[in-house]
Amino acid sequence: MLRAAVLVSLTRWAAVVLLGLLPFAAAAKPIAFAKGKTLMVEWGAGTMVEAQMFYAPRYWYSVGGGWLELDSDDGLKRRDITYLRANLLAKRWNLPDAQANVFAWGGLGRATGNDFEGPELSRNIGFQADYETRRVYTSFRADLHESDRFSHRIDTLQLGWAPYAHDYDQLATWLVVQGRRYTGGISKGTETALLVRFFKGGTWVEVGATTDGKLQAMAMFNF
């Protein structure tokens, strides 16, 4: 009996460790693993383009920077923002068959635009909450960039489903529905996209289109 109990305990512990090795399996996250680097590039349907690079000295925080370009639907507003920021893993739940995370971040940057003069000091704050199993995934992210001349927030909700369960070293496939809203006069209404996501190991790619036919794509590399 004691031996069986020990085996059950070890099995559960191994499952938790395995889940701990997969924090970036289903979702883009600003922290991959201790001593790891994360590169993320996104093309957001012609409205936003962003590139980010972070390094995580420990598993619970990372530092780095990025570049964001925003173009309004009416063509009247354009923003180019470069920034440095720190990311924090605020909370993680390692469950028997799932994992949930809350991330928060903040930083400063330099912004230019076509409707104001000169570079502006910009501020960046945001958070992300996600929950995932090997078959189901949900994520919500809010990212605010603001200065004395503008304020733009990007809210992104993703719901994903995997047709089959996968291991870390196997090719995984996810079908994802994404909803996104921009504030600050960038885009009106909710932008909806249908995506297919693939990943294997530390490489992760998703591609699809919005409901009005615009390309939505993202790639992430952990190394």
Side-chain angles (χ1 to χ4, degrees):
M1 292 291 292
L2 178 60
R3 185 174 182 179
V6 170
L7 288 174
V8 170
S9 178
L10 288 173
T11 300
R12 290 178 177 175
W13 179 84
V16 169
V17 170
L18 177 60
L19 286 170
L21 293 174
L22 299 175
F24 49 86
K29 294 179 172 66
I31 306 172
F33 47 83
K35 307 298 183 182
K37 301 178 184 69
T38 299
L39 171 64
M40 292 184 284
V41 181
E42 181 172 7
W43 173 268
T47 303
M48 63 94 76
V49 181
E50 188 168 30
Q52 299 174 318
M53 182 73 184
F54 300 114
Y55 170 69
R58 303 288 297 275
Y59 79 92
W60 53 271
Y61 80 96
S62 68
V63 293
W67 167 74
L68 172 67
E69 178 183 291
L70 295 171
D71 293 281
S72 64
D73 289 342
D74 57 16
L76 298 179
K77 294 180 181 178
R78 181 186 178 93
R79 305 284 183 252
D80 283 285
I81 305 170
T82 56
Y83 56 89
L84 298 174
R85 88 180 198 199
N87 308 290
L88 173 69
L89 173 60
K91 182 68 176 178
R92 170 169 290 165
W93 294 268
N94 282 318
L95 308 173
D97 297 306
Q99 186 182 92
N101 304 280
V102 176
F103 297 92
W105 55 80
L108 296 173
R110 177 185 181 275
T112 59
N114 63 349
D115 57 349
F116 60 86
E117 293 184 3
E120 286 275 322
L121 177 67
S122 63
R123 302 170 291 274
N124 174 219
I125 59 172
F127 79 93
Q128 175 175 318
D130 56 65
Y131 169 85
E132 61 191 78
T133 69
R134 296 174 68 191
R135 299 292 300 276
V136 177
Y137 155 71
T138 62
S139 173
F140 177 77
R141 182 175 74 250
D143 195 23
L144 173 67
H145 289 269
E146 64 174 7
S147 74
D148 294 339
R149 303 300 299 273
F150 64 83
S151 177
H152 302 300
R153 194 180 74 244
I154 307 171
D155 296 334
T156 305
L157 174 67
Q158 290 190 328
L159 304 175
W161 173 73
Y164 58 91
H166 58 274
D167 292 324
Y168 176 73
D169 59 348
Q170 296 177 328
L171 177 65
T173 304
W174 289 82
L175 306 177
V176 179
V177 178
Q178 174 178 290
R180 175 172 284 170
R181 294 182 68 93
Y182 298 88
T183 68
I186 296 297
S187 180
K188 295 181 179 179
T190 300
E191 178 188 274
T192 304
L194 304 177
L195 311 168
V196 180
R197 177 180 299 167
F198 304 98
F199 74 83
K200 182 177 181 180
T203 301
W204 177 95
V205 176
E206 71 179 23
V207 64
T210 62
T211 51
D212 56 359
K214 296 181 180 179
L215 174 66
Q216 172 71 39
M218 185 172 182
M220 181 177 69
F221 306 95
N222 293 288
F223 51 94

